[in-house]
Amino acid sequence: MEEEQSFSDIYGGRLALQHRYYSRSCREFCLSCPRLSLRSLTAVTCTVWLAAYGLFTLCENSMILSAAIFITLLGLLGYLHFVKIDQETLLIIDSLGIQMTSSYASGKESTTFIEMGKVKDVIINEAIYMQKVIYYLCILLKDPVEPNEISQVVPLFQSAKPRLDCLIEVYRSCQEILAHQKDTSTSP
Amino acid sequence: MAYRGGDGPGQPLSATFPRVSPGGLSTFRTRTHNICMVSDFFYPNMGGVESHIYQLSQCLIERGHKVIIITHAYGTRKGVRYLTNGLKVYYLPLKVMYNQSTATTLFHSLPLLRYIFVRERVTIIHSHSSFSAMAHDALFHAKTMGLQTVFTDHSLFGFADVSSVLTNKLLTVSLCDTNHIICVSYTSKENTVLRAALNPEIVSVIPNAVDPTDFTPDPFRRHDSVITIVVVSRLVYRKGTDLLSGIIPELCQKYPNLNFLIGGEGPKRIILEEVRERYQLHDRKIRVRLLGALEHKDVRNVLVQGHIFLNTSLTEAFCMAIVEAASCGLQVVSTKVGGIPEVLPENLIILCEPSVKSLCEGLERAIFRLKSGALPAPENIHNVVKTFYTWRNVAERTEKVYDRVSLEAVLPMEKRLDRLISHCGPITGYIFALLAVLNFLFLIFLKWMTPDSVIDVAIDGTGPRGAWTHHQYSHNKRGGDNNEISKTR
């Protein structure tokens, strides 16, 4: 079963959330941002080149122009490969664990997996971020020594930064699976 | 003007859902407010303003209002925290400049404060303490955003020296368009009205309160073979430590079984130690004991060891110490300065002029009364005093101020500029009018960058009907740096 909903991020941009219900114990959430738009790409390129031409007319050194070309190309490559995340996926399987995948615009993917034994809970939290106070979803990890303590907080959907309504949607589904997992683990 | 103006979602949500406060206190209210307390001073910092904000907020929550507190980050304590009854505290990462007060540029805190005001749907900004730069910033921004403002002044100021002239000027600017001002005593009101050139009608007097359960008498802790005089204050000039150093030798020579117990720390401690050395008051048995700095929880244990409480302050807006002492069943001898004569009825306090001679006479009178046994039992004094100043009463009176303020109109921009120019003198007036305009333009820019509709409304966790108390998922307790939002529905 697959379902797609549209939400917005904290800046007002559009986000698409895809749920995939594989079974009662396995769900996938996929948040995708819009791809790099031609408009912003053109705007950035034009600004860099105009600045370069401005400098060129001042000091008349053609090195500046070639440097500008290199800067735009390298900047674009770096941005697509290391910064721009197109899609963030959260796969949660109750007997196994939680897997988080972020796919960069260049196609690079980075994946983290947390096994269920380490997960204490999934919660929505509040933080002060860049002159804003935002809600975010995070996973609490158990302390290996003291199971009631929390050793680490892992934030989810770090680049998409969806708004609260979207977080609640994901939070509910996660809680259902966590509750299901607790039921099965306590009464085998 | 701000988001309350247009068709934005700025209207207070709780205004349409009256909430009932719990238990026997329940009064069905048709109006509740979303109040935001702003001050640089809050826990973990300790002091009178801090406990005032906390206790007032708790009582207002009990009465069904929504209250949040904004302060600056203290060390690693930053971000959002929750206290008892879902009282939400924002510790904002702003730079501390001097004496726990933040640096101000009048603009840099606007984005964050505006975001919080919008997401919490705040209707009334209540700032505390004239020493707090953040409180003044918040007032300035709130007026730009068109929110109602209330200010509580906790201290008295002089008029003569350079620093007070400057502070008074700033206070004039800050308060000239504030909706309502609260002072802690009539003397403080007079002082504030004069300093800030205010209309006295918009200044209310609501005294501080003490928690009477913290200050109970315990007559068995004191030794009745000797008479003990307790002094608990910071040992600074303003608290009259110099007077104390004159009183100690005089009385110790006259009465052989008189002891002094002095709690507090400060630069003037050295004087007291000198007096003790010179008159050899520490040999054989210790007659003057200096306890050093006391924590608030230890104050009661020191107070109950004495018979007479001595306060030698030279200036005081509202003296909490004498109420605490009287609540512990002690006889109070105090200087007649500032708001002190208003605090306790005449039969519970002996008032003196701020001079060594007068204070000695007052103390002798107290000693005579003690020896003649004409005093009521400490328990009786406690029972009388505990009815005088309660936080519930303070909250009730503050609520009336909020009710009144919420009906008033916030000055629109052009009137505000007029007020600034006409009230604050030609130069300061124009400078601050310009700053107000710049602030307004900055606000428009911010609203264009992040419109109100993009800001999530915060979940209301305050009070007995808050989001925390009824939930279907298991409530997860956690320490650490962050707080959890356990969703309901």
Side-chain angles (χ1 to χ4, degrees), chain A residues 10 121 124-126 163-164, chain B residues 88 119 476 482-483 485:
Chain A
I10 55 163
D121 207 345
I124 298 176
N125 203 353
E126 261 174 310
R163 284 182 63 177
L164 186 59
Chain B
K88 195 175 192 175
R119 79 196 294 270
N476 307 287
N482 307 294
N483 290 284
I485 304 295

Side-chain angles (χ1 to χ4, degrees), chain A residues 9-12 121 123-126 128 131-133 135-136 140 150 153 163-164 168 171-172 175, chain B residues 80 82 88 91-92 111-112 115-116 119 450 453-456 458-459 473 476 478 482-483 485 487:
Chain A
D9 66 5
I10 55 163
Y11 303 102
D121 207 345
I123 61 162
I124 298 176
N125 203 353
E126 261 174 310
I128 297 175
Q131 308 287 340
K132 288 183 167 68
V133 185
Y135 284 109
Y136 66 98
L140 305 180
I150 288 138
V153 178
R163 284 182 63 177
L164 186 59
I168 289 173
Y171 172 82
R172 284 231 191 87
Q175 285 299 330
Chain B
V80 185
Y82 287 90
K88 195 175 192 175
Y91 289 95
L92 305 186
L112 204 45
Y115 207 93
I116 293 172
R119 79 196 294 270
T450 27
S453 55
V454 174
I455 300 175
D456 276 322
I459 308 258
Y473 297 116
N476 307 287
R478 41 181 258 79
N482 307 294
N483 290 284
I485 304 295
K487 285 298 308 156

Side-chain angles (χ1 to χ4, degrees), chain B residues 11 24 72 101 106 129 131 169 171 189 201 237 288 308 334 356 390 404 407 412 414 456 482:
Chain B
Q11 287 310 314
H72 67 78
S101 182
L106 226 44
S129 178
F131 291 115
K169 194 77 203 169
L171 202 69
K189 172 176 173 175
E201 275 171 20
Y237 170 74
V288 177
I308 300 168
S334 175
V356 173
T390 61
R404 181 180 148 173
L407 299 175
E414 63 273 13
D456 276 322
N482 307 294

Side-chain angles (χ1 to χ4, degrees), chain B residues 4 146-148 177 179 404-412 415:
Chain B
R4 308 177 75 237
L147 301 172
Q148 262 92 7
D177 43 5
N179 290 82
R404 181 180 148 173
V405 162
S406 64
L407 299 175
E408 280 171 20
V410 180
L411 285 180
K415 285 211 183 129

